[in-house]
Structure formats: structure tokens, C-alpha cells
Amino acid sequence: MAAAVKLHRHVGRRRAARFLAEGPNLVEAALRRGLVSEVFATESAADRFAGLLAGAPVHLVTERAAKALSDTVSPVGLVAVCAVPETGLDDVLAAQPTLLAVPVGIAEPGNAGTIIRVADAMGADAVVLAGTSVDPYNGKCLRASAGSIFSIPVVSDPDAVSVVGRVRDAGLQVLATVLDGELSLEDAELAGPTAWLFGPEAHGLPPEVVALASAGVRIPMAGGAESLNIAAAAAICLYQSARALARRDHR
């Protein structure tokens, strides 16, 4: 129990290679993936989710202990300790991906989780958090991913320049989303293997990363907004790629 509480902090998660999944949706997704090492549940939660927890290693805890394990306002009394999946960029590239989402320097966990969810929904092969980014196993990021973090490989690599170089060397076109991109999204050729680079709304992608891209792409906007939130931009671009790949496969 004491070891599990330490997993609320990034340093604790990194040292233990474990993280906490809270609530029935995340716990069910983690159990399905085979990542759960133990579950802490209050007596009422254990009764309520008995079907879900059948065969799982469950420890009954008090309501007070459940609150200590929770990072939500209204805990349901169900928390699983999960192993961090051992997937690296080399594994992702060895699988010959056709669509990658590469957010660079993303600090906001809600945006990171939403991008993971969108990438999963659009059939992307992986999400690569490049540069100094939020921990994807942060509670807010997990919840924003709505369980998708258990369905799609998520890799973190602090060296964004190295990531882009390796992705490009693996044969993917690398498209950088930038406000002044020379190529409109409507004109981008997306039927081949593609990695999308997304930067934070405040300061965008680092110039050294954009310089390595195959092209800079701008999203046409007919309205008055000057820019898009990173997760919104990712949704639009990944949707366009998914459509192009689907059309190619149905020819």
C-alpha cells in the first residue's frame, strides 16, 4: 500500500516502472492487457465490480486508504497497480508503421491523453512523446486517454531531434504542423507511411525539429481563430491520414 501511494509521483513511477490506474474503465483495460500486478478496492467497490475483478489479485482497503491511493475528487475505491509496457521507439519502427503521432514538448496531461485517444481511434500505430513531455502515466493523462493508452503503444523519448531522424530513416514521411507551412493539409499526399509532428499552441515546434521534416503543413482555417489547440490539430491531421490510408487500402 505504501509503495503504491508513491506511484502518484513521477519519480516513484519511474523507479518502480509501475503506475496507478483508477476506476473501472481503466482497471478493466489494464486487466485486459495483462499489466495489472495488484488491485486495491474498498469492500463496496469489490462487491460492485465483482465481475470485472474475477481472478484479479485484490486487496481490500478502507475508504481512507482508497482516498490516499486516489487522485480524483470523488474516488470510486478501485485502483490497480500496473506495469509500464516495455515498448521503445525501435520496437515501434520495427513493426513498419504507416501512421505515427509525434507530439513534441507536450506538457499538458489532458492534451497528451486526448492525442493518445484520437490516435487510437484513427488507427495510428503508436504515439511518440518527443522532447521534454508529460509522463503519459500521470493520472490526468490516463483519464483523458479513456483507456486508449492500453490499446496503442505510447513511447517517450527526450531527444526530439533523434526521434525525427530515426522515424525519417525508417522510411516515413515526416510532416510538421506549422501555421506558415508551405503545404496545405488539403494538398498533402497522405497515402504513404506518415509521421505527424505536433507542437504546443504557445510556442509551436522547435525550429531544429521542423528543419528535419519532409514538409511543413498548415491546416486551412476559414474562421477567425489564429491557431488550434494541439489535440484539435492532431485530430484533424490524423483523421485526414486515416481517410487517405483507407482509400488506398480499398483500391
Side-chain angles (χ1 to χ4, degrees), residues 179-207:
L179 287 173
D180 58 352
E182 68 271 19
L183 185 64
S184 169
L185 177 60
E186 294 172 342
D187 300 324
E189 175 49 63
L190 302 175
T194 301
W196 281 101
L197 304 180
F198 307 109
E201 189 178 1
H203 44 82
L205 288 163

Side-chain angles (χ1 to χ4, degrees), residues 39-234:
V39 178
F40 294 96
T42 59
E43 199 167 334
S44 62
D47 289 342
R48 184 179 169 192
F49 304 112
L52 166 66
L53 298 173
V58 179
H59 305 289
L60 291 179
V61 295
T62 63
E63 297 283 349
R64 183 177 176 183
K67 282 184 180 176
L69 284 167
S70 173
D71 72 344
T72 62
V73 177
S74 304
V76 295
L78 183 66
V79 178
V81 176
C82 309
V84 173
E86 294 180 6
T87 304
L89 184 57
D90 288 341
D91 302 309
V92 168
L93 296 178
Q96 298 183 316
T98 55
L99 182 57
L100 296 179
V102 187
V104 180
I106 186 168
E108 211 287 306
N111 283 335
T114 301
I115 290 173
I116 292 166
R117 185 177 185 180
V118 167
D120 180 28
M122 292 302 109
D125 297 287
V127 175
V128 183
L129 300 175
T132 305
S133 298
V134 67
D135 176 4
Y137 298 102
N138 160 307
K140 287 182 181 177
C141 185
L142 286 170
R143 288 191 294 277
S145 83
S148 283
I149 198 160
F150 297 109
S151 303
I152 184 172
V154 178
V155 175
S156 296
D157 191 310
D159 191 339
V161 169
S162 171
V163 166
V164 177
R166 289 159 69 191
V167 167
R168 199 177 58 180
D169 291 347
L172 288 86
Q173 71 165 336
V174 178
L175 300 180
T177 52
V178 286
L179 287 173
D180 58 352
E182 68 271 19
L183 185 64
S184 169
L185 177 60
E186 294 172 342
D187 300 324
E189 175 49 63
L190 302 175
T194 301
W196 281 101
L197 304 180
F198 307 109
E201 189 178 1
H203 44 82
L205 288 163
E208 64 272 21
V209 169
V210 175
L212 292 172
S214 313
V217 177
R218 68 183 185 278
I219 298 171
M221 292 185 286
E226 291 183 3
S227 64
L228 286 168
N229 162 280
I230 185 173

